[in-house]
Amino acid sequence: MKSSSDGEPDEENGKLLEKSKEKGSRNGRVVKVHNQALLSGLAYCLSSCGMILVNKIVLSSYDFNAGISLMVYQNLISVIIVSVLSLLGLISTEPLTWKLIRVWFPVNVIFVGMLITSMFSLKYINVAMVTVLKNVTNVITAVGEMYLFKKQHEGRVWAALFLMIISAITGGITDLSFNATGYVWQTLNCFLTASYSLTLRRVMDTAKQYTKSGNLNEFSMVLLNNTLSLPLGIFLILVFSEVDYLLSTPLLRLPSFWLVVTFSGILGLAISFTSMWFLHQTGATTYSLVGSLNKIPLSIAGIFLFKVPTSLENSASILFGLLAGVLFARAKIRERSQT
């Protein structure tokens, strides 16, 4: 579970935090800040990579055929943990009012679709190709920003986006474990993830008007998204007849299976916490680059852990796509610094 698209870096945040970090370094606390940044960065990378790999284990290695049920269980864990932390006073969350729910519901529908399509694609496609194909989301988002927000991108950004498209096409052509169903789900996931990112920007401004504090922090969004996803997820479980599968599968009688799926739910919530912590310690620039570089060890781990059949051409296209992602992050950073 993620509070933003696929856990990808949100470059709109973190400017004030970078200033406070500079101020802290002037006061002679450079070592402390650097240690916090390193620790938070490692925590973010581990939770992000771990979530995808564990989901792949559940869906492929265990051959679990109820992706919607897995999403509902993971989101339920997030709701329970965030609610308990809020009751203990360790974090602050906004109360869920009907006005707030009505405003947020449309974006939550996209959020649920994003998670479900991610589950389905991950079942059929290897981890390395999923990370490369996710780059297409950046292309759709950039086009959406241009038409919806009249935002112009510089040449370097478009060049990186073009390289992403080429890598996705060549990766699919050379994929030895190509699965058409998985690619369809991943294409839908890219459109839904981009739609979520673009819609979220508008809905957040409206939603803030219906909160007590006049603000909507990350914890509140996690609680809001996951709480609203539960009834919608249960409805989809009934529509797709997953109940019959759940009643018949022997997996639910395996303690090891419950341990893995529960761990995946905790990792989903950990991504939200660690990404926010890392952003607070570093800022949008470092956060964006680490998010892109994070895909490289994830892809390598996915190939070796799941013994994915590959070729030199496919490996080259995957590496090409990952490097294009890094170039995109650097181009966006340069673009933002100029504006």
Side-chain angles (χ1 to χ4, degrees):
M1 196 299 309
K2 303 169 199 171
S3 60
S4 61
S5 65
D6 185 45
E8 293 295 327
D10 183 1
E11 297 177 8
E12 302 293 332
N13 303 315
K15 291 182 179 178
L16 292 176
L17 298 164
E18 287 181 335
K19 291 180 181 178
S20 65
K21 190 181 81 169
E22 290 174 6
K23 190 175 181 181
S25 63
R26 290 193 200 105
N27 294 333
R29 291 181 291 180
V30 178
V31 175
K32 182 179 179 181
V33 172
H34 283 181
N35 287 340
Q36 286 285 317
L38 178 61
L39 185 60
S40 60
L42 287 173
Y44 166 65
C45 290
L46 289 174
S47 59
S48 178
C49 292
M51 179 65 176
I52 294 178
L53 294 175
V54 171
N55 275 349
K56 182 66 176 176
I57 290 172
V58 173
L59 296 167
S60 296
S61 299
Y62 276 98
D63 196 24
F64 187 62
N65 295 316
I68 302 173
S69 300
L70 177 60
M71 178 210 71
V72 169
Y73 183 69
Q74 289 175 343
N75 291 0
L76 177 62
I77 291 174
S78 294
V79 170
I80 292 172
I81 295 176
V82 172
S83 299
V84 170
L85 292 175
S86 181
L87 288 172
L88 294 174
L90 298 176
I91 60 173
S92 62
T93 56
E94 293 292 332
L96 305 184
T97 62
W98 281 112
K99 287 184 178 179
L100 183 59
I101 289 172
R102 280 200 301 270
V103 170
W104 199 266
F105 184 73
V107 77
N108 184 257
V109 173
I110 301 174
F111 172 75
V112 171
M114 180 182 71
L115 294 183
I116 292 174
T117 52
S118 177
M119 293 284 189
F120 288 164
S121 66
L122 198 58
K123 179 174 177 61
Y124 298 106
I125 309 177
N126 66 74
V127 173
M129 280 309 305
V130 165
T131 57
V132 171
L133 294 173
K134 279 182 180 293
N135 282 335
V136 177
T137 302
N138 295 325
V139 180
I140 301 170
T141 303
V143 174
E145 286 177 332
M146 188 173 64
Y147 284 100
L148 295 176
F149 304 107
K150 309 300 179 186
K151 183 176 181 180
Q152 298 300 317
H153 300 288
E154 63 176 30
R156 288 184 181 85
V157 173
W158 289 114
L161 292 173
F162 177 73
L163 293 177
M164 288 178 181
I165 295 173
I166 296 299
S167 68
I169 294 173
T170 56
I173 293 173
T174 58
D175 187 2
L176 298 181
S177 57
F178 179 86
N179 185 291
T181 303
Y183 273 73
V184 170
W185 282 118
Q186 184 55 51
T187 302
L188 287 173
N189 177 256
C190 289
F191 277 98
L192 287 169
T193 303
S195 300
Y196 178 72
S197 175
L198 295 168
T199 307
L200 188 63
R201 299 180 187 186
R202 289 185 172 181
V203 173
M204 279 179 65
D205 291 335
T206 307
K208 288 175 183 178
Q209 302 172 17
Y210 298 99
T211 60
K212 254 184 184 180
S213 64
N215 195 15
L216 196 66
N217 61 27
E218 287 87 349
F219 294 107
S220 297
M221 284 192 288
V222 169
L223 183 61
L224 185 59
N225 255 338
N226 286 278
T227 301
L228 292 182
S229 72
L230 297 180
L232 184 56
I234 292 170
F235 172 74
L236 291 173
I237 287 173
L238 297 174
V239 169
F240 285 89
S241 303
E242 286 192 359
V243 175
D244 295 335
Y245 172 78
L246 293 173
L247 292 174
S248 62
T249 180
L251 289 173
L252 298 186
R253 294 190 287 273
L254 292 177
S256 61
F257 176 77
W258 280 106
L259 183 65
V260 173
V261 295
T262 302
F263 183 55
S264 71
I266 296 172
L267 281 174
L269 183 59
I271 292 175
S272 300
F273 290 143
T274 57
S275 61
M276 183 174 59
W277 179 26
F278 186 37
L279 182 61
H280 283 191
Q281 294 299 324
T282 55
T285 301
T286 306
Y287 184 60
S288 178
L289 278 175
V290 170
S292 298
L293 292 169
N294 195 30
K295 291 181 179 180
I296 298 175
L298 174 61
S299 299
I300 295 171
I303 291 173
F304 285 100
L305 287 176
F306 299 101
K307 298 180 173 60
V308 177
T310 187
S311 63
L312 180 61
E313 293 83 1
N314 186 244
S315 299
S317 65
I318 291 171
L319 180 61
F320 185 66
L322 296 173
L323 292 177
V326 176
L327 290 175
F328 173 76
R330 289 181 61 87
K332 289 288 287 182
I333 291 167
R334 181 185 175 88
E335 182 183 71
R336 183 160 299 282
S337 65
Q338 290 178 346
T339 56

